[in-house]
């Protein structure tokens, strides 16, 4: 048993050792693929809601050969129900260049004189050593300057496709979709996660949709493994960067 005074330090040491063991295991073992789960969990526990127009009454008969949004005479193979799968084409090509330059300079000077102090100038001057008069009671001067230069060059290019599942149908007919994809190559797992809200009419005849047609789109592309671990700073360095004021 540890003394009461040293119990907090023992708990900290135990937690640090467990964290170190977990880190060593992660470093030795190859990254594992996550198990397949309900795609609805990608969107989150909170249900998606959106403003909806008044419901439209469909006057078509139950025996009608025509259906709203159908592109074929007999059937429509596009995703339309919860659980249906559609393909999302992602083509992101973003380029941004920003150049900012700022230069400021300011100089200030203030002087204040005491010309009268209720007739107490002479007694005060006798008690203040090295003071001939109270002519200058306050004098200040300040100079400040700053220069800043900032440059941002960003270029992103992602071209890939991922299958998504309809997880919910909103009251206005829009679909909530979510999908994920993981690929492991040489101890490196690349993962892509996408979710958002789409319109049924934006789904093409080939059951695909562009990422630009997804509202509230959430696209995450990254990885984990040996390469990602080397490129990411160590835990101690990240903690030091977050708490050090300089």
């Amino acid at each position: 048993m540890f003394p009461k005074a040293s119990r907090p330090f023992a708990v900290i040491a135990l937690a640090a050792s467990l964290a170190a063991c977990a880190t060593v295991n992660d470093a030795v073992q190859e990254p594992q693929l996550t198990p397949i789960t309900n795609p609805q969990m990608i969107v989150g526990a909170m249900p998606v809601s959106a403003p909806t127009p008044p419901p439209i009454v469909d006057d078509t008969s139950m025996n009608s050969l025509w259906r709203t949004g159908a592109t074929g005479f007999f059937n429509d193979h596009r995703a339309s129900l919860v659980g249906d799968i559609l393909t999302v084409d992602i083509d992101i090509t973003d380029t941004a260049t920003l150049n900012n330059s700022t230069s400021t300079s300011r100089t200030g000077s203030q002087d204040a004189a005491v010309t009268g102090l209720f007739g107490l100038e002479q007694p005060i001057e006798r008690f203040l050593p090295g003071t001939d008069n109270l002519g200058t009671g306050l004098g200040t001067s300040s100079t400040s300057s700053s220069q800043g230069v900032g440059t941002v060059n960003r270029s992103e290019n992602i071209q890939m496709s991922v299958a998504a599942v309809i997880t919910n149908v909103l009251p206005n007919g829009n679909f909530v979709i979510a999908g994920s994809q993981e690929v492991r190559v040489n101890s490196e797992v690349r993962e892509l996660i996408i979710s958002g809200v789409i319109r049924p009419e934006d789904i093409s005849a080939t059951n695909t949709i562009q990422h630009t047609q997804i509202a509230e789109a959430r696209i995450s592309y990254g990885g984990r493994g040996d390469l990602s671990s080397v490129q990411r700073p160590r835990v101690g360095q990240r903690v030091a960067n977050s708490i050090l004021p300089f």
Side-chain angles (χ1 to χ4, degrees):
M1 296 296 293
F2 295 99
K4 292 184 178 181
S6 60
R7 286 180 182 177
F9 300 99
V11 173
I12 296 175
L14 179 60
S17 62
L18 293 176
C21 293
T23 304
V24 171
N25 293 332
D26 293 339
V28 174
Q29 297 180 356
E30 294 184 354
Q32 302 297 319
L33 298 177
T34 57
I36 299 176
T37 58
N38 187 355
Q40 191 171 4
M41 300 304 298
I42 298 176
V43 180
M46 294 295 294
V48 178
S49 61
T52 58
I56 300 175
V57 179
D58 190 1
D59 295 333
T60 57
S61 175
M62 294 295 294
N63 297 325
S64 175
L65 296 177
W66 303 99
R67 290 182 299 166
T68 303
T71 57
F73 184 80
F74 296 101
N75 54 19
D76 185 7
H77 297 286
R78 296 180 299 176
S80 59
L81 301 176
V82 174
D84 289 351
I85 298 175
L86 71 159
T87 303
V88 180
D89 291 332
I90 303 174
D91 187 2
I92 301 176
T93 304
D94 293 339
T95 302
T97 301
L98 302 176
N99 293 317
N100 295 326
S101 178
T102 304
S103 178
T104 62
S105 178
R106 181 177 63 184
T107 302
S109 178
Q110 295 180 352
D111 293 326
V114 180
T115 58
L117 192 61
F118 303 102
L120 301 177
E121 297 88 350
Q122 294 181 356
I124 293 177
E125 290 174 358
R126 287 196 299 267
F127 284 103
L128 293 178
T131 302
D132 297 334
N133 55 65
L134 293 177
T136 302
L138 178 65
T140 61
S141 62
S142 63
T143 302
S144 64
S145 62
S146 63
Q147 292 182 352
V149 177
T151 302
V152 176
N153 292 321
R154 181 176 60 86
S155 178
E156 298 176 351
N157 187 6
I158 300 176
Q159 294 181 349
M160 58 193 321
S161 299
V162 60
V165 179
I166 297 178
T167 60
N168 190 16
V169 179
L170 299 179
N172 62 350
N174 291 338
F175 299 152
V176 180
I177 64 171
S180 63
Q181 181 186 88
E182 293 187 1
V183 179
R184 187 176 67 182
V185 179
N186 296 335
S187 301
E188 182 72 15
V189 174
R190 310 305 295 175
E191 54 186 0
L192 172 65
I193 300 175
I194 185 170
S195 62
V197 181
I198 65 173
R199 300 189 309 168
E201 51 267 29
D202 289 336
I203 303 176
S204 66
T206 58
N207 199 35
T208 60
I209 191 171
Q210 303 296 322
H211 80 279
T212 55
Q213 297 172 312
I214 302 177
E216 297 295 326
R218 301 293 184 268
I219 302 174
S220 174
Y221 181 69
R224 62 183 188 274
D226 295 342
L227 295 178
S228 301
S229 178
V230 171
Q231 294 175 347
R232 189 177 187 186
R234 299 289 87 188
V235 177
Q237 183 178 354
R238 296 200 303 270
V239 172
N241 292 337
S242 63
I243 63 177
L244 291 179
F246 49 84

